[in-house]
Amino acid sequence: MGRPTVLLLLLAILTPGAAFHVPPAMKALSSLRWSASSTFRRTVAKNYSVHYIQQKVDHFGFSADKTFKQRYLIADAYWKKNGGSILFYTGNEGDITWFCNNTGFMWDVADQLKAMLVFAEHRYYGESLPFGNKSFRDSRHLNFLTSEQALADFAVLIKHLKKTIPGAKNQPVIAIGGSYGGMLAAWFRMKYPHIVVGALAASAPIWHFGNLVPCGVFMEIVTKDFKRGGPNCSETIRSSWDAINRFSRTGAGLRWLSEALDLCTALTNAQDVQHLKAWLSETWINLAMVDYPYECDFLQPLPAWPIKVVCQYLKNPSVSDAQLLQNIFQALNVYYNYSGQASCLNISETTTSNLGTQGWSYQACTEMIMPFCTNGIDDMFEPHAWNLREFSDDCFKQWSVRPRPAWIITMYGGKNISSHTNIIFSNGELDPWSGGGVTKDITDTLVAITIPDGAHHLDLRARNAFDPTTVILARSLEVRHMKQWIRNFYASLRKKH
Amino acid sequence: MGRPTVLLLLLAILTPGAAFHVPPAMKALSSLRWSASSTFRRTVAKNYSVHYIQQKVDHFGFSADKTFKQRYLIADAYWKKNGGSILFYTGNEGDITWFCNNTGFMWDVADQLKAMLVFAEHRYYGESLPFGNKSFRDSRHLNFLTSEQALADFAVLIKHLKKTIPGAKNQPVIAIGGSYGGMLAAWFRMKYPHIVVGALAASAPIWHFGNLVPCGVFMEIVTKDFKRGGPNCSETIRSSWDAINRFSRTGAGLRWLSEALDLCTALTNAQDVQHLKAWLSETWINLAMVDYPYECDFLQPLPAWPIKVVCQYLKNPSVSDAQLLQNIFQALNVYYNYSGQASCLNISETTTSNLGTQGWSYQACTEMIMPFCTNGIDDMFEPHAWNLREFSDDCFKQWSVRPRPAWIITMYGGKNISSHTNIIFSNGELDPWSGGGVTKDITDTLVAITIPDGAHHLDLRARNAFDPTTVILARSLEVRHMKQWIRNFYASLRKKH
């Protein structure tokens, strides 16, 4: 089933405020962007210092020698010059202070690893804008927004730190990242093993490219989460699409829908209905990613195990359309109105404001081509085929660039990565991104850690009293590997001298 | 001792016909370019087919989606679809047909490795010009001439071959290259281990960057070769510079020099004398690189062990200036007039015409910053310090770009490469480039093979009745490693299925 052409236009006006105005397939992409920082609101201010380094705008060409200021943060309260280490967060698509404040795992292990924490901002996000407020003006200005350039920034930064911070020179550096940042951490170790001794790649869907995994796997996991959330839950959501479609046939139906779902702006046409359905899909996707075992804040506060709570309202797919959609409304309220303060549901509301939506939209149109699809049978969504041609045309309309879907696999190896070493791939089994992740050991030193009760990079979050045993175990395994890498580094250093 | 400012200008007019009009330090650079194909003239036409692939001009940016035709050659007479292999020559700075016709080693081992031979032309050389005859127009057009882009071309090409040639898909690919091509082979394995199972990097000075090796090592090895060539040989050359300087003080002296050396164009000023000395230095360097054990052709035919022949004329450093320079003339005649057909010596004569001098000059001004220096004590040349600042200014004048001397080490790891596997670094001990090469095993699978009687990548040349035992042994070791990589590849393939 093709995508309605009306959406092609919307893609061209993709802005933070309208990020969900894209079909589910695209949304899954922007969810990746969103997810990494969405899981935190109740951020604890951490004690770090802010720094800047001049980076070449283009590491891979010499005709323009322009530089820009890349921001990075350092926290060295627990750092020991003697026998210490450096944990390097490979910043992803957002403001680095968010990642810094919310990757509690790094703060929790700093003491035992005698570690300096470094958080490097990804170019084109946060304050690290190569061309200031012109950075997103056109494809010429966006031309240097690639994973390769970002990794080169990281490499140059680490060499700079080792050169300028007394005591840092002969210390092992470990890359850590989650989501797209996890992909960067893994790729960083693959491409610059002389700079980082190992990488912890949390919830990194490095195989969600080309045909490496089936395009339906993401939405199937979302669906599984809702199946697990309660009896008939996924079936109820699956039934909702046709119910919406039936209501959408008439003006009266649209009015009823708008009222029943308490929408801030009434639906008036087919395009609005597409938006509504995309927004609903995104909601279910988001719930799957942040199905955490304890109450926590992100866009809106959420209860512990939010899918279970949502599914309490979605127990019966066989009721009337009206009843079914009223139940959906109750479910949505868990997500959008847990605090009870929302006066209406705004389908134009974006999930968070601390992110470079434009940046990720460009990346998703160039290198980060992740095929998504649904068939309505193995998943609870309306069928939607992956259509590269259409996707490419949309990208061209929006950014004047065309995707190169094979490139990432050529560059980073796809499934053929066994010659690399010292990478931990951690994945929560609840996380839809785990479908594109490495969930089985590849070699003794390319290891997979799966967290049965974990959603999107739960292991990178700060320790919590409600952490399931499986994530506690995962973190301790991760630390054990990191300690081994550090020991190996110092052993080989001693051998040299 | 600084470089005479007059040369700054000359750098800006560097063209194939005047390639030696640069001081020895620069010359050593262009010698690298030159060397790889200079060693062959008596080329045997090989049986290959010519192909082209459309490559992105910029693999690392999406704003310009332009493509160009990269040329490559295939020879598959010995290829076996069942249990075979692919030997992939990572083309360097010149016309690929030269390398194809002259890397006899690959042709010699094709049978026993059941190998398809592929020779890929390096972008900006031969016919593989990204912007046709505008490719060298300015730094904007040259912007895509980097080792990273070249490696990406190779990666894309191999994926294309595996996709399109029936039987190639599940075969191991081995990268092979000499000189700069050897660096590319090694780097290719480091950065794309999912694409090549191993690399033979012959005479690859991957450490001739930054402070990884002393800047004087190259010229010291040249000097050692002449010391070995005969009694007092290097001392005689060392004495020649002052003798030239003394003659150059007067017009009569210049006239005498021009006649004594039988120069096609008389010397008239200090600048000409600098050219003469640079040309002489280049001659000695070239002799050191191609000090092969058998008669062979390159720019001019050369006898076996040419340095030994040259040194027969350079036995006495203590004769009069006039006598000494007349002896130098005799020595030069071995190099420039072995055939006896030259009517005069042309210090504007370039060494070979099949090369992209402009391309290498640009690369030597951007990524490939190899420091060279002489002190006149450990070597037989006039003292000449490495001056990055001056070098950078020259580059800026010539190409409007500035070198980034640290980049190659950041990118490819410098001496910290032990986490990689399956690379053979072969070096001839007579080869001045061996000073920047890997001449000791790093690990079990990063091995060094040294060839005591070998000059510049002698091992890549076709087998010859006069081959010293050491190069025969080296080649058999190389084949043994390659066979092991191939066996390992097939063993792991069987395990998968």
Side-chain angles (χ1 to χ4, degrees):
Chain A
M1 201 174 93
R3 186 193 307 166
T5 47
V6 63
L7 288 170
L8 300 181
L9 185 65
L10 292 164
L11 199 69
I13 55 156
L14 188 65
T15 60
F20 57 84
H21 284 173
V22 287
M26 275 296 291
K27 256 341 289 172
L29 281 174
S30 57
S31 298
L32 174 65
R33 165 190 53 69
W34 165 86
S35 65
S37 58
S38 66
T39 50
F40 334 98
R41 185 77 169 283
R42 197 182 295 157
T43 56
V44 181
K46 310 281 187 182
N47 196 7
Y48 57 76
S49 53
V50 182
H51 307 263
Y52 297 88
I53 179 177
Q54 289 290 335
Q55 291 277 9
K56 300 286 181 195
V57 169
D58 188 5
H59 292 288
F60 302 104
F62 292 75
S63 79
D65 211 31
K66 201 184 166 326
T67 59
F68 74 101
K69 281 201 312 186
Q70 180 189 22
R71 181 168 57 158
Y72 62 98
L73 316 175
I74 290 185
D76 59 3
Y78 291 106
W79 183 46
K80 294 281 183 301
K81 293 188 183 186
N82 189 4
S85 65
I86 298 170
L87 304 186
F88 186 91
Y89 188 88
T90 49
N92 35 319
E93 67 287 25
D95 188 299
I96 194 61
T97 59
W98 271 64
F99 298 118
C100 174
N101 277 320
N102 294 291
T103 307
F105 171 74
M106 284 171 66
W107 298 84
D108 289 342
V109 302
D111 193 6
Q112 57 179 314
L113 300 181
K114 304 175 187 168
M116 179 196 301
L117 308 184
V118 181
F119 297 85
E121 193 158 67
H122 192 296
R123 53 168 59 202
Y124 287 86
Y125 296 96
E127 294 184 3
S128 301
L129 303 176
F131 301 98
N133 56 14
K134 294 178 199 160
S135 297
F136 303 98
R137 178 174 285 185
D138 53 36
S139 66
R140 214 167 44 85
H141 287 87
L142 279 158
N143 194 45
F144 310 99
L145 173 49
T146 65
S147 61
E148 293 87 345
Q149 298 276 9
L151 295 182
D153 289 337
F154 298 154
V156 168
L157 171 54
I158 291 173
K159 294 203 78 163
H160 169 78
L161 297 176
K162 293 209 155 195
K163 205 171 170 178
T164 55
I165 300 179
K169 192 181 167 198
N170 287 319
Q171 291 218 341
V173 183
I174 293 172
I176 297 181
S179 201
Y180 169 49
M183 300 203 276
L184 292 172
W187 293 337
F188 196 33
R189 169 64 186 169
M190 294 180 196
K191 294 295 186 182
Y192 296 85
H194 51 289
I195 290 183
V196 286
V197 299
L200 168 55
S203 296
I206 61 165
W207 288 344
H208 216 304
F209 297 96
N211 294 318
L212 298 179
V213 298
C215 60
V217 68
F218 184 94
M219 296 301 237
E220 284 171 27
I221 297 173
V222 174
T223 303
K224 218 167 65 183
D225 290 346
F226 281 84
K227 267 202 173 91
R228 179 188 131 123
N232 294 319
C233 189
S234 66
E235 289 82 352
T236 304
I237 293 173
R238 188 185 284 119
S239 296
S240 70
W241 311 112
D242 276 348
I244 291 170
N245 291 341
R246 282 188 288 266
F247 267 106
S248 303
R249 286 183 195 140
T250 65
L254 286 177
R255 276 191 299 279
W256 185 90
L257 259 180
S258 306
E259 277 167 32
L261 298 179
D262 205 5
L263 302 182
C264 302
T265 308
L267 307 168
T268 58
N269 56 34
Q271 187 177 313
D272 291 348
V273 176
Q274 290 299 333
H275 293 179
L276 171 69
K277 289 193 284 187
W279 175 76
L280 283 168
S281 296
E282 185 184 6
T283 309
W284 311 135
I285 289 170
N286 290 350
L287 276 162
M289 286 201 297
V290 299
D291 194 23
Y292 292 130
Y294 42 81
E295 190 173 73
C296 65
D297 283 7
F298 58 111
L299 184 65
Q300 316 277 359
L302 267 197
W305 298 118
I307 287 185
K308 207 173 281 178
V309 180
V310 159
C311 285
Q312 286 171 1
Y313 301 99
L314 304 175
K315 292 180 172 172
N316 198 340
S318 309
V319 292
S320 69
D321 285 354
Q323 185 58 53
L324 192 143
L325 292 172
Q326 278 161 345
N327 292 342
I328 291 281
F329 172 69
Q330 297 300 321
L332 290 172
N333 262 302
V334 174
Y335 185 84
Y336 288 107
N337 200 16
Y338 183 56
S339 65
Q341 290 170 357
S343 59
C344 59
L345 298 186
N346 182 355
I347 69 165
S348 291
E349 193 178 46
T350 188
T351 44
T352 176
S353 64
N354 263 276
L355 290 162
T357 313
Q358 289 184 294
W360 184 256
S361 162
Y362 175 85
Q363 289 193 265
C365 270
T366 47
E367 285 191 315
M368 303 297 156
I369 312 305
M370 301 180 168
F372 291 91
C373 63
T374 48
N375 63 14
I377 298 160
D378 301 309
D379 56 68
M380 62 187 191
F381 298 91
E382 288 190 299
H384 189 98
W386 169 246
N387 185 333
L388 178 62
R389 181 58 199 262
E390 200 174 50
F391 184 84
S392 175
D393 289 343
D394 291 350
C395 288
F396 193 75
K397 278 188 193 126
Q398 191 184 6
W399 295 112
S400 302
V401 295
R402 294 216 173 257
R404 296 179 190 162
W407 172 245
I408 282 285
I409 298 174
T410 301
M411 187 66 191
Y412 298 115
K415 291 211 166 176
N416 188 1
I417 56 174
S418 61
S419 68
H420 301 289
T421 56
N422 294 3
I423 306 177
I424 304 164
F425 296 97
S426 68
N427 279 285
E429 287 188 4
L430 306 181
D431 180 16
W433 290 112
S434 66
V438 180
T439 51
K440 279 181 188 153
D441 287 359
I442 294 174
T443 66
D444 284 354
T445 68
L446 283 190
V447 297
I449 295 181
T450 52
I451 307 162
D453 306 305
H456 200 42
H457 53 62
L458 174 63
D459 49 335
L460 289 195
R461 295 175 59 81
R463 70 167 80 92
N464 184 293
F466 293 94
D467 277 333
T469 319
T470 53
V471 77
I472 295 170
L473 186 66
R475 288 189 190 125
S476 87
L477 267 171
E478 288 163 8
V479 169
R480 196 193 294 173
H481 281 289
M482 291 194 283
K483 282 184 174 168
Q484 186 62 50
W485 300 340
I486 294 169
R487 269 197 305 275
N488 291 350
F489 175 88
Y490 281 114
S492 99
L493 205 64
R494 277 192 300 274
K495 221 186 278 175
K496 272 185 206 157
H497 297 135
Chain B
M1 199 176 92
R3 185 194 307 167
T5 46
V6 64
L7 288 171
L8 300 182
L9 185 64
L10 292 165
L11 200 68
I13 55 156
L14 188 65
T15 60
F20 58 85
H21 283 173
V22 287
M26 276 296 289
K27 254 345 283 172
L29 283 174
S30 58
S31 298
L32 175 64
R33 167 189 53 69
W34 165 87
S35 64
S37 58
S38 66
T39 49
F40 334 98
R41 185 73 167 289
R42 197 183 295 156
T43 56
V44 182
K46 309 282 188 181
N47 196 7
Y48 56 77
S49 53
V50 182
H51 307 263
Y52 298 87
I53 178 177
Q54 289 291 333
Q55 292 277 8
K56 300 284 181 196
V57 169
D58 187 4
H59 292 288
F60 301 105
F62 292 74
S63 79
D65 210 32
K66 200 184 165 326
T67 59
F68 73 100
K69 281 201 311 183
Q70 180 188 24
R71 180 168 57 160
Y72 62 98
L73 316 175
I74 290 186
D76 58 5
Y78 292 106
W79 184 47
K80 295 281 184 300
K81 294 188 183 186
N82 189 4
S85 64
I86 298 170
L87 303 185
F88 186 91
Y89 188 88
T90 50
N92 35 319
E93 69 287 24
D95 188 298
I96 194 61
T97 58
W98 272 65
F99 298 119
C100 174
N101 277 320
N102 295 292
T103 307
F105 172 74
M106 284 171 66
W107 298 84
D108 289 342
V109 301
D111 193 6
Q112 57 179 312
L113 300 181
K114 304 174 187 168
M116 179 197 300
L117 308 183
V118 181
F119 297 84
E121 192 158 68
H122 192 296
R123 51 168 60 201
Y124 288 87
Y125 296 96
E127 294 184 4
S128 302
L129 303 175
F131 301 97
N133 57 16
K134 294 178 196 158
S135 298
F136 303 98
R137 179 175 282 185
D138 53 35
S139 67
R140 212 166 45 85
H141 287 86
L142 280 158
N143 194 46
F144 310 98
L145 173 49
T146 65
S147 62
E148 292 88 345
Q149 299 276 11
L151 295 182
D153 289 337
F154 297 154
V156 168
L157 172 55
I158 290 173
K159 294 203 79 166
H160 169 78
L161 297 176
K162 292 208 155 196
K163 206 170 169 178
T164 55
I165 300 179
K169 191 181 169 197
N170 286 319
Q171 292 219 340
V173 183
I174 293 172
I176 298 181
S179 202
Y180 168 49
M183 301 204 274
L184 291 173
W187 293 337
F188 196 34
R189 169 64 187 168
M190 294 180 194
K191 294 294 185 181
Y192 296 85
H194 51 288
I195 290 182
V196 286
V197 300
L200 168 55
S203 297
I206 60 165
W207 289 345
H208 216 305
F209 297 96
N211 294 318
L212 298 179
V213 299
C215 60
V217 68
F218 184 95
M219 296 301 238
E220 285 171 26
I221 297 173
V222 174
T223 304
K224 218 168 64 182
D225 290 345
F226 281 85
K227 268 202 172 92
R228 179 189 129 124
N232 293 321
C233 189
S234 66
E235 289 81 353
T236 304
I237 292 173
R238 187 185 285 118
S239 296
S240 70
W241 312 113
D242 276 348
I244 292 171
N245 291 340
R246 282 188 288 267
F247 267 105
S248 303
R249 285 183 195 139
T250 64
L254 286 176
R255 276 191 298 280
W256 184 90
L257 259 180
S258 306
E259 278 167 32
L261 298 179
D262 203 4
L263 302 183
C264 301
T265 309
L267 308 167
T268 58
N269 55 35
Q271 186 178 314
D272 291 348
V273 175
Q274 289 300 334
H275 293 177
L276 171 69
K277 289 194 285 189
W279 175 76
L280 285 167
S281 296
E282 186 186 5
T283 309
W284 311 135
I285 289 169
N286 291 348
L287 277 162
M289 288 202 294
V290 298
D291 195 23
Y292 292 130
Y294 41 80
E295 190 174 73
C296 64
D297 282 10
F298 56 111
L299 184 65
Q300 316 277 0
L302 267 197
W305 298 118
I307 288 186
K308 206 173 279 179
V309 180
V310 159
C311 285
Q312 287 171 1
Y313 301 99
L314 304 174
K315 292 179 171 173
N316 198 340
S318 309
V319 292
S320 70
D321 284 353
Q323 184 59 51
L324 192 142
L325 292 171
Q326 278 161 346
N327 292 343
I328 290 282
F329 172 71
Q330 296 301 322
L332 290 172
N333 262 301
V334 174
Y335 184 84
Y336 288 106
N337 199 15
Y338 182 57
S339 66
Q341 290 170 355
S343 59
C344 59
L345 298 185
N346 182 355
I347 69 166
S348 293
E349 193 176 49
T350 188
T351 42
T352 176
S353 63
N354 264 278
L355 290 162
T357 314
Q358 289 184 292
W360 185 255
S361 161
Y362 174 85
Q363 290 193 264
C365 271
T366 47
E367 286 191 315
M368 303 296 155
I369 311 305
M370 301 181 168
F372 291 90
C373 62
T374 48
N375 63 14
I377 297 158
D378 301 309
D379 56 68
M380 63 187 191
F381 298 91
E382 287 190 299
H384 189 97
W386 169 246
N387 185 333
L388 177 61
R389 181 59 198 261
E390 199 174 50
F391 184 84
S392 176
D393 290 343
D394 291 350
C395 287
F396 192 76
K397 277 188 193 126
Q398 192 185 6
W399 295 111
S400 302
V401 294
R402 294 219 173 256
R404 297 179 190 163
W407 172 244
I408 281 286
I409 298 172
T410 301
M411 187 67 192
Y412 298 114
K415 293 210 165 176
N416 189 2
I417 55 174
S418 61
S419 69
H420 301 289
T421 56
N422 294 2
I423 306 176
I424 304 164
F425 296 97
S426 68
N427 279 285
E429 286 188 5
L430 305 180
D431 180 16
W433 290 112
S434 67
V438 179
T439 51
K440 279 180 189 154
D441 287 358
I442 295 173
T443 65
D444 283 354
T445 68
L446 283 189
V447 298
I449 294 181
T450 52
I451 306 162
D453 306 305
H456 200 43
H457 52 61
L458 174 62
D459 49 336
L460 289 195
R461 296 176 58 80
R463 72 168 79 90
N464 184 294
F466 294 94
D467 278 332
T469 319
T470 53
V471 77
I472 296 170
L473 188 64
R475 288 186 191 129
S476 85
L477 268 171
E478 289 162 6
V479 169
R480 196 193 296 174
H481 281 288
M482 292 194 282
K483 283 183 174 169
Q484 185 63 49
W485 301 338
I486 294 169
R487 269 198 305 275
N488 292 349
F489 174 88
Y490 281 113
S492 99
L493 204 63
R494 277 191 300 275
K495 222 186 277 173
K496 272 184 207 158
H497 297 136

